Amino acid sequence: MHESTHSPPDLIGLLRRGGQLDTNLLVQADLRDADLSGVRFEGLNLTGTRLDGAKLAGSAWSHCQLSQTCLDGAILSNANFSDCKATQTSLRGALLDRAWMQNTEWLHCDFRKADLTRLAALHSVFRDCTMQTAIIAEAWLSQCTLQDMDLAGVCWDKVHLPDSVLQRCSLAGATLSQCSFNRVQACGIDLHNAQAPGLSLHRAVLDDACFDGALLNAAVFDMARLDHATLRGASLRSARFYGATSQAIDFTGSQMVYADLSHFRAINSDFSQTNLTGASLHAAELPSALWRDTILDNVRRDDELLREAELWHPAV
């Protein structure tokens, strides 16, 4: 791969003028600290390009290859990435607030201490990336893939991941504030010891998931699938499992005071040593459940009037 023969000022001038550019124009180019705000990068190969500290606010990236590209400390506020592929790209400390990503793939990329506040992403992939210390808040990642990602200990605020893939993703010990993972495919996800009150997992697929020791008060598992999931010692006060299904779910030692298990269908579930004080078991189907030393004080059983109301249909 040849190195760019243009000087940095010449390259900046060419990029600012726009138009059709040679695909390899920026290969191994040194554009550190360059002001390229609002510039369009279209169909370019940026292998080995140095853009450390560059000003790239409002820039647009389309069908670009970013391999071993360095964007450490770059300002990428409001940047737009579409149909790009980045491999071993470094974005340490980069400012990516309000960035937009669509059909973009990030492989083995370094996002340490990057600011991804208000990131919006659609149909994008983050695989084997380093993101534990990235700032992710008020973000929306729809139909994205974070499969096999190590995100242990992250602190996320108002992060929403509808219809995304989180299989075998580790969020052990994470702090998740006002987050939602609705309809995610998350078999094998690890959220043990996570602090995630109010986390929404509506219609999520959570087979073999681990929530042991997690704080999940008021969490929403409505219509979720939880085959062989474990929630041992979890705090699930006022959590909802309305219409959820499971085989061999394990709630051993969990706190489920005032939890709502209405219409919960679970085979071979284990509620041993679980505190279900005041919980609702209305229309729950729990064949072969284990109830060893379970606390069932003031549990609300099947409500016949409510069941009639649920089955009522207006006359045609």
Side-chain angles (χ1 to χ4, degrees):
M1 194 72 69
H2 72 275
E3 185 175 348
S4 176
T5 57
H6 294 80
S7 66
D10 289 342
L11 289 173
I12 293 170
L14 288 168
L15 288 166
R16 286 199 169 282
R17 284 195 293 273
Q20 189 67 38
L21 300 174
D22 177 60
T23 300
N24 295 316
L25 176 70
L26 299 180
V27 170
Q28 296 183 20
D30 188 343
L31 293 170
R32 283 176 284 186
D33 300 313
D35 187 350
L36 295 165
S37 303
V39 165
R40 294 183 62 85
F41 298 82
E42 189 166 357
L44 296 177
N45 180 359
L46 291 100
T47 297
T49 305
R50 297 293 302 271
L51 287 159
D52 324 27
K55 298 178 181 64
L56 293 156
S59 56
W61 308 70
S62 176
H63 297 91
C64 290
Q65 294 288 328
L66 296 96
S67 178
Q68 298 181 336
T69 309
C70 186
L71 288 156
D72 291 347
I75 298 174
L76 287 154
S77 303
N78 295 297
N80 187 317
F81 293 88
S82 177
D83 299 290
C84 294
K85 183 172 182 179
T87 305
Q88 295 183 324
T89 292
S90 183
L91 298 110
R92 295 187 192 183
L95 188 59
L96 284 149
D97 59 307
R98 297 180 176 83
W100 165 256
M101 300 173 184
Q102 183 171 359
N103 300 322
T104 291
E105 193 170 2
W106 303 90
L107 306 176
H108 309 288
C109 295
D110 190 347
F111 287 91
R112 274 179 282 186
K113 296 187 177 179
D115 188 342
L116 297 158
T117 301
R118 297 193 180 178
L119 167 70
L122 177 66
H123 296 301
S124 293
V125 175
F126 300 84
R127 185 169 283 121
D128 295 319
C129 294
T130 305
M131 300 181 77
Q132 286 96 332
T133 57
I135 299 169
I136 304 181
E138 300 179 53
W140 177 83
L141 291 84
S142 178
Q143 301 174 67
C144 291
T145 296
L146 292 87
Q147 188 171 325
D148 299 310
M149 285 277 290
D150 182 2
L151 296 165
V154 297
C155 294
W156 286 359
D157 179 45
K158 300 181 185 70
V159 176
H160 308 289
L161 300 167
D163 304 294
S164 292
V165 177
L166 298 169
Q167 294 188 70
R168 298 177 302 278
C169 186
S170 175
L171 285 152
T175 300
L176 308 174
S177 176
Q178 299 183 58
C179 294
S180 65
F181 296 177
N182 294 333
R183 301 177 304 279
V184 297
Q185 297 290 320
C187 294
I189 192 171
D190 184 0
L191 275 154
H192 82 267
N193 293 334
Q195 303 290 304
L199 175 65
S200 180
L201 290 151
H202 177 74
R203 290 191 181 276
V205 177
L206 300 163
D207 298 346
D208 300 302
C210 178
F211 298 94
D212 295 350
L215 176 65
L216 292 160
N217 296 337
V220 176
F221 292 86
D222 292 356
M223 312 302 289
R225 195 178 80 195
L226 292 141
D227 290 352
H228 305 283
T230 64
L231 297 99
R232 293 186 290 260
S235 183
L236 293 155
R237 294 175 181 271
S238 301
R240 288 174 50 97
F241 291 83
Y242 184 94
T245 61
S246 177
Q247 293 189 37
I249 192 169
D250 189 350
F251 290 107
T252 300
S254 62
Q255 294 293 320
M256 301 185 73
V257 176
Y258 298 117
D260 186 353
L261 285 79
S262 300
H263 296 278
F264 183 40
R265 298 186 302 280
I267 302 171
N268 297 322
S269 51
D270 193 344
F271 290 94
S272 297
Q273 301 170 30
T274 299
N275 186 351
L276 281 161
T277 299
S280 174
L281 296 174
H282 168 68
E285 299 175 21
L286 304 168
S288 304
L290 291 178
W291 303 95
R292 190 180 302 112
D293 299 321
T294 306
I295 299 173
L296 295 164
D297 297 345
N298 300 316
V299 165
R300 290 165 288 165
R301 306 284 183 173
D302 221 27
D303 186 325
E304 292 183 9
L305 292 177
L306 178 57
R307 191 180 278 273
E308 286 181 15
E310 290 170 340
L311 295 173
W312 180 83
H313 295 285
V316 178

